[in-house]
């Protein structure tokens, strides 16, 4: 009998903890962002020099972008593990977060508190030595790492400074985070798409993956891992080389334009629409 009471107590305690987490997470998502402190001029200069997305915005939109970078850096710690973290690293991490969600006002990534930078690639045990170091970025999915993102500092910088590539590790990982908001990292960002668009989007993913398997595509083959990695990979492509994506994969470009409410080929970036899905609503139960 004592064991029964203990078990019931544990279950009740876990239920209360889960309810408390849900309430706090819901509150954070539904509360408008506080006004950001102005981004220091030195960081604004780094934005202009290193983030092409920002550099092509008109002045009024640059101010909005800088404010969101400032807000992100006020709320999320950027720390290094056996490596120094410079202002350029903080600016690039924040820009990676702001770019995918620039069309949505007051967006904050739920439950992200820390971005950890490693000098270079790392392995599953977050070790930076050895031959099996292939990971450039990773989103925490549980336990102590639930609210943490890990990034290779060299990959982060290369994503912005190599302007001809189709890869950007920072954007890739933040796309995983926004994909995760509906409860599952699955390549189908439910809160960004009308429900009737989800199945056509998944069919397009699978059709494109078949083309990739036949070596008839220039999309990074890492996108063949699963639907979630495909979504992150083509999102990198969309923001990094939108000109090339629109030419080679016009249907993908059009779908991503709808998902992110953006056309990166335009100076304004944001595509105005009459109806906008709420990113502060709780996801439907599945």
């Amino acid at each position: 009998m004592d064991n029964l009471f203990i078990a019931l107590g544990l279950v009740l305690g876990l239920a209360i903890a889960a309810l408390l987490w849900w309430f706090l997470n819901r509150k954070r998502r539904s509360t408008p962002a506080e006004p950001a402190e102005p981004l220091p001029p030195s960081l604004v200069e780094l934005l202009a020099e290193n983030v092409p997305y920002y550099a092509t915005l008109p002045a009024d939109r640059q101010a909005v972008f800088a404010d969101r970078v400032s807000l992100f850096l006020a709320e999320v710690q950027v720390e290094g593990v056996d490596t120094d973290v410079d202002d350029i690293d903080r600016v690039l991490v924040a820009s990676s977060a702001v770019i995918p969600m620039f069309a949505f006002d007051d967006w904050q990534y739920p439950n992200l508190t820390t971005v950890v930078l490693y000098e270079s690639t790392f392995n599953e045990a977050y070790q930076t030595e050895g031959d099996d170091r292939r990971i450039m970025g990773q989103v925490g999915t549980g336990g102590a790492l639930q609210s943490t993102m890990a990034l290779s500092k060299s990959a982060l910088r290369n994503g912005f400074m190599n302007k001809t590539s189709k890869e950007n590790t920072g954007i890739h990982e933040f796309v995983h985070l926004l994909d995760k908001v509906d409860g599952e990292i699955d390549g189908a960002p439910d809160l960004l798409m009308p429900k009737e668009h989800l199945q056509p989007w998944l069919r397009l993913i699978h059709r494109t993956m078949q083309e990739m398997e036949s070596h008839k595509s220039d999309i990074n083959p890492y996108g063949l891992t699963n639907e979630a990695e495909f979504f992150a990979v083509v999102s990198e492509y969309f923001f990094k080389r939108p000109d090339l994506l629109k030419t080679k994969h016009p249907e993908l470009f059009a779908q991503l334009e709808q998902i992110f409410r953006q056309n990166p080929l335009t100076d304004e970036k944001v595509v105005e629409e009459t109806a906008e899905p709420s990113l502060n609503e709780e996801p439907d139960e599945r």
Side-chain angles (χ1 to χ4, degrees), residues 18-34 71 75 101 104-112 146 177-184 190-192 276-285:
L19 184 62
L20 180 61
W21 179 90
W22 175 86
F23 175 78
L24 292 174
N25 193 44
R26 183 177 186 272
K27 182 178 180 182
R28 180 176 180 183
R29 269 193 268 166
S30 61
T31 302
E34 294 293 329
L71 179 61
E75 295 199 335
M101 303 312 299
F104 299 91
D105 294 335
D106 296 328
W107 169 256
Q108 296 170 278
Y109 289 88
N111 209 32
L112 177 67
Q146 175 68 28
L177 269 191
L178 69 90
D179 188 9
K180 184 183 176 183
V181 170
D182 60 18
E184 189 173 2
D190 295 30
L191 298 185
L192 302 183
E276 179 177 304
S278 173
L279 292 177
N280 293 323
E281 292 180 356
E282 290 298 315
D284 292 338
E285 293 184 1

Side-chain angles (χ1 to χ4, degrees), residues 197-254:
H197 290 181
L198 286 174
Q199 287 306 313
W201 167 241
L202 291 173
R203 286 195 293 271
L204 176 59
I205 287 178
H206 296 150
R207 187 167 71 249
T208 307
M209 291 174 77
Q210 289 177 349
E211 295 172 358
M212 293 166 65
E213 289 172 343
S214 302
H215 306 289
K216 297 178 180 178
S217 176
D218 67 330
I219 296 172
N220 185 343
Y222 187 63
L224 286 172
T225 305
N226 52 45
E227 292 87 346
E229 295 299 347
F230 179 91
F231 177 43
V233 162
V234 297
S235 296
E236 296 177 71
Y237 195 160
F238 178 71
F239 288 110
K240 190 76 181 291
R241 290 297 309 274
D243 55 330
L244 199 59
L245 183 67
K246 187 170 185 178
T247 298
K248 291 182 173 290
H249 308 279
E251 192 174 357
L252 269 178
F253 184 93

Side-chain angles (χ1 to χ4, degrees), residues 125-137:
Y126 298 97
Q127 297 169 333
T128 56
E129 296 181 358
D131 296 331
D132 60 341
R133 297 180 296 110
R134 299 182 177 86
I135 301 174
M136 293 186 289

Side-chain angles (χ1 to χ4, degrees), residues 50-62:
N50 298 283
V51 182
Y53 181 103
Y54 169 86
T56 58
L57 288 169
D60 60 331
R61 301 301 290 167
Q62 285 185 341

Side-chain angles (χ1 to χ4, degrees), residues 59-77:
D60 60 331
R61 301 301 290 167
Q62 285 185 341
V64 173
F65 192 99
D67 282 347
R68 295 189 186 178
V69 165
S70 179
L71 179 61
F72 179 89
L73 293 176
E75 295 199 335
V76 178
Q77 295 296 315

